[in-house]
Amino acid sequence: MLVALAGRKAAIALCLSLAATASGAGFAQEFSGDPRAAVKSPAAAAHSRARLAGLQALHLCTGIFTSEMTEETVRASFQPGTRPQEPIREIIDRERKTVSVAYADDMPPRIAVWRPYQGCTQLPIGATDAAAASLNRFPAGVAPPALHDRPWPLGDAQATGRLKAAQKKALSSILDAAFADEAGDYEGQTWGVVILKDGKIVGERYDPGFGPNIAARTNSMCKSLSATLVGAGVHKGLLDLQTPAPLAEWRRAGDPRGAITLDDLLRMASGLYTTGDNNPQPELYGAGAPAYEISALNMMSSRPGETFVYAGSDTILATRALRQAVADDTDFAVWPYRELLWKLGMTRTVIETDWNNDFLISGQCWSTARDFARLGQLYLDDGVWNGERLLPEGWSDYVSTAGPAQPTSRFLADSKYGAQFWIYDDREGLPGKAYAAAGAFGQYAMIVPSQNLVIVRRGLDGRKGFAIARFAADVAAALR
């Protein structure tokens, strides 16, 4: 009885944690409905245990086999709502690079499978490891380039810049306050900060167990990677923001989803029903449900472009549209890396997929603080990198300009949203335009164009969120 109760509490925490994303000084998310309603029946309770086991298998798999964390740090970095609530029966197979977590005597364990350079994929509830045969892999001979010894920002050599003594002292005090966690001025629980000014790192600090090469889960910071990949597709002529029905699944005559555009998806205004207890995201991330079924074939609840609903499915479907435009799944497995990440030197960033090989790019990415500083620099330079234009001219303005539909819930009423980026203009004393890739539990990459500044803050925030706007404003003031 006590075990069942613990499982129900864990499921409630899981629903709430998946509903959270960072905005302003704390967590904010469009979320409605009572999560307890989903765990009243024995079948629903069992399903919730299966989801939690899947999340645990996936986190352990990626942390152990992809990140350079120690196993101790991997286990300590379980995020609120996904930490094991009871002793779990896990098997870590280091030879086959799989993690299995048992949750019921009458069902197979939840299994996560690692692939070279692609991270881990969670197999669906009820699957055995035989399902791993359907996972795509990079073609033979394809691997991340060795860039570590190249000059920054492509590599890590000559990465740091110099500050005046007064600036250095002021910045050090700000970092001290950030790493004081909940006892400090900005609260939260910080594990890493990288500050990029005029293209050079002028501030960098990590907690023990983390460092410049340590990748950790980004949560919804990854949504900004989706917008960037879509931008690369637009630049190459593969996609158009305003063309209706970017997915083949929506092109039947009379299908109301045929009015949805890529712009609607990037602005979280698809009109698809993705809120409350039926939000597909917990099923995508915990149950192994494929995005092409549970998200692409979802029903409508409002007209496209009219209502903002913060839904990871919109993000995933925007990238699925790029997959369909590329029209070669073997090539598309490598496309985000070859056309974007590796060009930027983001060789320690992994975007994981579901078992149908759709990128779970609304949050299942692992990356370093330095890699997201590189992404921020790409946006400061309006999509030009090393002399090559990777994004359409004006793409930085597009993602950082508020769309017609904006948050209205009590959680997000003071927030503004662009296209997979949160807008922070002038908040807490920020100098004019400012926008950020932002994710739950304190993952941020703040971009401040007027000062040629990128501020990456990574954390494991719990009860108290991190005051990112105030922190960024203080950093900007110190570096003026």
Side-chain angles (χ1 to χ4, degrees):
M1 182 68 174
L2 290 176
V3 171
L5 180 60
R8 292 187 179 195
K9 290 181 178 178
I12 293 169
L14 171 61
C15 290
L16 290 173
S17 73
L18 287 174
T21 190
S23 179
F27 304 132
Q29 168 94 22
E30 285 282 346
F31 183 76
S32 64
D34 183 356
R36 292 170 294 185
V39 294
K40 287 181 179 178
S41 74
H47 185 69
S48 295
R49 289 194 296 272
R51 287 197 318 215
L52 185 60
L55 283 169
Q56 291 167 2
L58 186 58
H59 182 85
L60 288 172
C61 180
T62 308
I64 291 170
F65 299 129
T66 296
S67 177
E68 296 181 22
M69 293 182 190
T70 65
E71 185 173 329
E72 180 183 10
T73 302
V74 172
R75 293 184 181 278
S77 68
F78 270 109
Q79 295 173 337
T82 66
R83 294 187 177 101
Q85 302 295 308
E86 56 184 284
I88 58 174
R89 294 171 288 167
E90 67 184 37
I91 297 175
I92 300 173
D93 189 327
R94 296 181 182 275
E95 182 176 346
R96 299 173 65 200
K97 291 185 170 54
T98 64
V99 175
S100 304
V101 176
Y103 68 96
D105 293 334
D106 60 344
M107 289 289 285
R110 300 303 313 283
I111 302 170
V113 179
W114 180 85
R115 290 164 291 164
Y117 317 123
Q118 295 176 277
C120 292
T121 290
Q122 174 191 159
L123 302 182
I125 294 173
T128 67
D129 56 8
S134 67
L135 300 177
N136 64 23
R137 292 175 180 267
F138 282 3
V142 175
L147 301 174
H148 177 71
D149 294 333
R150 299 281 295 275
W152 176 270
L154 190 62
D156 290 312
Q158 305 164 30
T160 58
R162 301 185 66 178
L163 295 176
K164 297 177 181 178
Q167 291 175 317
K168 188 174 182 179
K169 181 179 179 180
L171 190 59
S172 180
S173 296
I174 293 169
L175 291 178
D176 288 344
F179 280 85
D181 296 336
E182 292 189 0
D185 293 342
Y186 310 108
E187 299 185 331
Q189 296 182 38
T190 300
W191 64 253
V193 171
V194 170
I195 299 169
L196 197 65
K197 171 71 172 173
D198 297 330
K200 292 287 189 178
I201 296 174
V202 295
E204 185 171 28
R205 190 181 297 185
Y206 299 95
D207 262 353
F210 295 91
N213 297 333
I214 296 295
R217 191 178 176 194
T218 67
N219 299 320
S220 291
M221 284 176 81
C222 197
K223 290 180 171 67
S224 301
L225 279 182
S226 178
T228 311
L229 287 175
V230 169
V234 171
H235 180 62
K236 289 180 176 293
L238 294 169
L239 298 170
D240 183 271
L241 287 176
Q242 303 301 334
T243 299
L247 295 179
E249 292 89 342
W250 299 340
R251 293 173 190 158
R252 290 176 296 180
D255 190 331
R257 295 168 299 192
I260 298 171
T261 66
L262 267 176
D263 180 59
D264 295 328
L265 292 170
L266 293 179
R267 295 196 180 280
M268 296 294 188
S270 68
L272 293 171
Y273 182 64
T274 51
T275 188
D277 298 334
N278 293 318
N279 188 335
Q281 190 152 308
E283 303 306 319
L284 295 170
Y285 280 87
Y292 82 98
E293 292 179 354
I294 197 167
S295 295
L297 302 182
N298 197 4
M299 69 191 79
M300 300 293 292
S301 64
S302 62
R303 290 188 179 90
E306 292 188 358
T307 304
F308 177 95
V309 178
Y310 190 81
S313 288
D314 283 9
T315 310
I316 292 169
L317 294 178
T319 303
R320 179 170 172 79
L322 179 60
R323 174 184 179 177
Q324 292 184 357
V326 171
D328 182 333
D329 283 351
T330 300
D331 184 54
F332 190 61
V334 185
W335 203 96
Y337 300 93
R338 184 189 66 230
E339 301 297 334
L340 179 70
L341 298 179
W342 295 347
K343 286 186 176 183
L344 302 182
M346 296 178 68
T347 57
R348 289 185 170 86
T349 296
V350 169
I351 311 171
E352 295 181 330
T353 71
D354 66 12
W355 60 282
N356 186 54
N357 302 308
D358 275 312
F359 286 104
L360 291 178
I361 199 167
S362 63
Q364 193 54 40
C365 302
W366 285 59
S367 186
T368 67
R370 282 193 173 197
D371 273 4
F372 262 81
R374 293 177 167 101
L375 184 72
Q377 186 64 52
L378 176 70
Y379 275 91
L380 285 178
D381 294 337
D382 192 33
V384 175
W385 190 267
N386 197 29
E388 179 185 4
R389 177 160 289 284
L390 302 180
L391 304 176
E393 187 175 356
W395 193 258
S396 297
D397 287 336
Y398 167 68
V399 302
S400 60
T401 299
Q406 287 296 307
T408 58
S409 77
R410 64 188 179 91
F411 298 108
L412 296 175
D414 295 331
S415 302
K416 295 295 182 185
Y417 199 74
Q420 304 292 302
F421 283 81
W422 289 94
I423 299 170
Y424 289 82
D425 296 358
D426 300 312
R427 292 177 64 174
E428 299 281 357
L430 278 164
K433 190 176 188 66
Y435 58 106
F441 312 116
Q443 323 311 320
Y444 300 97
M446 181 74 77
I447 301 164
V448 186
S450 66
Q451 289 192 226
N452 202 19
L453 179 65
V454 179
I455 301 163
V456 180
R457 185 270 182 183
R458 305 295 304 276
L460 289 168
D461 299 345
R463 183 173 58 89
K464 293 184 177 180
F466 185 78
I468 182 60
R470 181 151 41 90
F471 174 70
D474 288 348
V475 170
L479 297 180
R480 284 195 186 103

